[in-house]
Amino acid sequence: MCKPTSILIPGLLLCVLLSGCATYKSETEQLRSSWAAGNIEGAYDEATSGANDDTESVDIVIWRLEEATAQRYLNNFSDSNVVFGQAGEWISRYDSEAEVSLLDETEANFTNQSFLPYTGYYYDRIMMNTYCALNSLQMGNVDEMRVFLNRAYESQENAVYENAADIEKAEEVARQESAKAESSNANDAYNVDKALDDKKFNSEITQHYQYLKDYRVYADYVNPYSVFIDGLFSLTNSMEQNDLERARKNLERVSSMVPGNTYLQQDLQTADQILGGASFEPTTYVIFETGMAPSRDQIRIDIPLFVVTQSVPYVGAAFPQLKFNDNYVSALNVKAAGTSYRTQVVCDMDAVVATEFDNRLPLVITKTLISTGTKALTQWALQEAVKNNSYAYWGVMVAGTIYQAAMNDADLRTWVTLPKQFQYCRLPTPADRKITISAAGTGMTQTIDLVPGTVNLVYVKSNSQYCPLMIQQNSLIPLTPVEVKQPTSAPAESVAQL
């Protein structure tokens, strides 16, 4: 054990240095404000500044995701894909550095989880590839779009196994810590198992996280929007029968996840008709990206350190909590040739985020218990070492309290420029090729001249009720329909993965 004088002064200095650490929530306050107001250039500047402040920081992935998203809505599609690619390279690098990650996890026991590299949630990885696919579509590179859609699918498939492995690893660490605590009379290790069995602690956890059960409407790690985009793209860019079968399977899959969406039923009928040899009728799709995904806040729950000692003065632990954003446009009304259409939800990102948050909650709770317990035990050990020296004792206690207060933060990093919902509607393309869109409840209206095409895609984005509508459009099928080739060899391989 260290001598008191050798740890007191460095400890105090460390407290001063670390007490000024900002959370990602506070660091992105201006970015979120700019994004909500529709000031995309301002949000881009904030994200780029965050990424460039330290290109080797643990937050580089999340800053790059924000930057790439802003680039996308500044219509810089190529640059957006480049920056998304940089985020992807960092994620791959972290995935391959298991031993380094283990070391970082140990160090994080004395700080907090936000000091670890942000490696991206699974929905981050899925949406990163989906946005890359849409950027490629906007640039007319359909081959590249197929690659990104396949990566989005693979990310969904891998998520189930990887999350299970992460939780198993955390449970093993908890068992080791608990066994160590039992063997040493609970004075030099934190007993996670006992904490998890504590009735008061469990009651608070249940109370604070009960709402998550209301959001579990999709299967684990499935993003209906990615599946829908895959289905729509395969339907409208089919070069072989295989593509049409893939399209139908995807549309059927997303329809089962969002059973109340009548447009999905129409798309399924269209897929059947085209599989039967019919041609695509002139159709316009309007996709509406609305609102902002949940941010993260933190709550404090007392963890049962009384099982170790009554003398540790600070036993509160910070846990993350989702904070949903209700400032959004509820739907888009589209008028064409005297008929009105209203967009319907195809993917609720609140539910996607909440489902993964709920899945990872056991992992977060275990890590928080170990981290908070380790820090509290360290403080207790230091106080014990100087208990016969009243000045040193109070110094250690004050320093320890400041240190724990500074380090007792939950990991609040999350991709803040993702939307709250994806919606869409489909309609026959009017003869005058004009549609008028209006944001429900805002008075914002705009008439759009459709670009030439048999099947058109109009992409509308609104970040809040006071954010101007952002519009992108292109053609999914050119005016001359592409001939669908019949299969010449075993076609099942590429479809089977769905």
Side-chain angles (χ1 to χ4, degrees):
M1 182 174 294
C2 298
K3 295 181 179 179
T5 52
S6 67
I7 55 177
L8 180 57
I9 294 176
L12 285 167
L13 290 174
L14 185 62
C15 293
V16 173
L17 289 172
L18 295 179
S19 61
C21 292
T23 65
Y24 187 72
K25 182 182 178 185
S26 61
E27 289 179 328
T28 56
E29 186 174 350
Q30 185 57 48
L31 186 157
R32 286 185 283 111
S33 176
S34 296
W35 192 255
N39 178 8
I40 308 303
E41 288 189 359
Y44 168 74
D45 289 342
E46 289 290 327
T48 304
S49 174
N52 292 338
D53 276 351
D54 185 354
T55 56
E56 298 288 327
S57 83
V58 295
D59 295 335
I60 188 65
V61 168
I62 188 67
W63 282 119
R64 290 299 185 208
L65 291 175
E66 311 285 13
E67 179 187 359
T69 309
Q71 287 273 29
R72 168 170 165 71
Y73 294 103
L74 288 171
N75 297 327
N76 299 328
F77 303 111
S78 179
D79 291 340
S80 175
N81 273 7
V82 168
V83 179
F84 274 131
Q86 292 170 350
E89 289 173 4
W90 274 101
I91 290 173
S92 298
R93 176 173 166 181
Y94 290 138
D95 286 350
S96 64
E97 293 180 344
E99 292 185 2
V100 174
S101 296
L102 185 61
L103 175 61
D104 288 343
E105 295 265 3
T106 303
E107 292 176 348
N109 288 342
F110 294 95
T111 53
N112 62 54
Q113 298 302 307
S114 67
F115 281 66
L116 293 174
Y118 183 88
T119 59
Y121 292 99
Y122 296 116
Y123 63 79
D124 288 351
R125 301 177 183 207
I126 294 165
M127 280 309 306
M128 178 179 69
N129 284 305
T130 303
Y131 275 153
C132 282
L134 288 167
N135 285 341
S136 298
L137 173 67
Q138 201 71 36
M139 293 185 289
N141 191 339
V142 295
D143 290 337
E144 190 176 75
M145 183 176 188
R146 292 178 197 278
V147 171
F148 286 122
L149 288 175
N150 285 334
R151 289 181 185 173
Y153 170 77
E154 290 167 1
S155 295
Q156 294 184 68
E157 290 295 288
N158 294 338
V160 175
Y161 305 105
E162 291 175 2
N163 186 61
D166 287 344
I167 290 177
E168 184 177 350
K169 174 184 169 186
E171 289 175 343
E172 177 57 28
V173 171
R175 282 193 291 270
Q176 292 175 2
E177 283 286 306
S178 299
K180 183 179 177 183
E182 286 290 336
S183 65
S184 59
N185 296 320
N187 284 335
D188 61 354
Y190 186 73
N191 196 321
V192 178
D193 289 342
K194 281 188 176 179
L196 292 173
D197 288 338
D198 183 79
K199 289 183 180 178
K200 180 177 180 297
F201 175 71
N202 266 308
S203 174
E204 288 202 51
I205 289 291
T206 301
Q207 176 189 342
H208 285 291
Y209 292 107
Q210 184 64 36
Y211 71 96
L212 291 172
K213 306 304 177 189
D214 297 334
Y215 284 89
R216 295 191 68 96
V217 295
Y218 307 134
D220 288 350
Y221 309 110
V222 171
N223 183 318
Y225 183 63
S226 295
V227 181
F228 167 70
I229 289 296
D230 196 325
L232 180 60
F233 173 75
S234 299
L235 184 65
T236 55
N237 285 270
S238 52
M239 300 300 293
E240 298 178 346
Q241 190 77 5
N242 230 12
D243 296 327
L244 292 176
E245 292 172 2
R246 173 178 177 142
R248 185 164 194 319
K249 195 171 184 68
N250 272 323
L251 290 171
E252 183 178 49
R253 186 181 179 200
V254 71
S255 180
S256 69
M257 289 184 271
V258 195
N261 190 314
T262 57
Y263 299 117
L264 283 168
Q265 298 302 320
Q266 295 173 24
D267 274 326
L268 267 176
Q269 293 175 8
T270 299
D272 287 336
Q273 291 166 359
I274 294 177
L275 274 166
S279 298
F280 224 117
E281 296 293 328
T283 305
T284 296
Y285 286 85
V286 179
I287 292 178
F288 183 40
E289 207 175 292
T290 183
M292 295 173 65
S295 57
R296 295 181 189 227
D297 212 335
Q298 59 186 3
I299 55 174
R300 294 188 183 272
I301 298 176
D302 285 343
I303 70 169
L305 273 183
F306 57 86
V307 298
V308 180
T309 173
Q310 295 282 1
S311 62
V312 178
Y314 189 82
V315 292
F319 291 85
Q321 185 76 287
L322 291 181
K323 184 178 181 182
F324 298 95
N325 190 337
D326 292 329
N327 179 8
Y328 72 106
V329 176
S330 60
L332 199 67
N333 294 312
V334 182
K335 193 170 184 178
T339 303
S340 295
Y341 306 83
R342 190 177 178 88
T343 55
Q344 299 176 13
V345 175
V346 68
C347 175
D348 185 338
M349 282 303 295
D350 282 354
V352 170
V353 173
T355 299
E356 182 163 341
F357 186 95
D358 194 23
N359 286 342
R360 295 184 67 81
L361 190 56
L363 188 67
V364 171
I365 290 173
T366 298
K367 287 183 175 180
T368 304
L369 285 172
I370 293 174
S371 176
T372 306
T374 300
K375 289 186 290 243
L377 285 169
T378 300
Q379 181 181 348
W380 173 80
L382 294 177
Q383 289 179 205
E384 282 293 294
V386 298
K387 61 184 179 183
N388 294 325
N389 182 327
S390 60
Y391 292 106
Y393 179 85
W394 284 105
V396 168
M397 189 180 73
V398 170
T401 301
I402 295 173
Y403 168 71
Q404 290 204 57
M407 290 295 96
N408 199 2
D409 280 324
D411 186 356
L412 305 183
R413 293 172 294 183
T414 188
W415 188 351
V416 299
T417 48
L418 283 176
K420 181 181 183 70
Q421 292 179 348
F422 291 98
Q423 307 180 4
Y424 90 107
C425 69
R426 69 194 301 277
L427 55 132
T429 300
D432 62 0
R433 304 192 67 79
K434 291 181 183 296
I435 64 172
T436 299
I437 59 173
S438 57
T442 69
M444 286 186 283
T445 299
Q446 188 164 341
T447 298
I448 300 170
D449 292 316
L450 299 174
V451 299
T454 300
V455 177
N456 285 74
L457 174 63
V458 177
Y459 208 100
V460 184
K461 183 168 180 60
S462 166
N463 295 338
S464 71
Q465 291 175 331
Y466 50 84
C467 170
L469 298 176
M470 293 169 275
I471 301 169
Q472 300 167 343
Q473 64 164 319
N474 63 3
S475 163
L476 287 170
I477 297 181
L479 285 174
T480 302
V482 177
E483 180 185 358
V484 177
K485 298 178 181 178
Q486 296 301 314
T488 54
S489 59
E493 185 176 352
S494 61
V495 178
Q497 63 177 336
L498 299 173

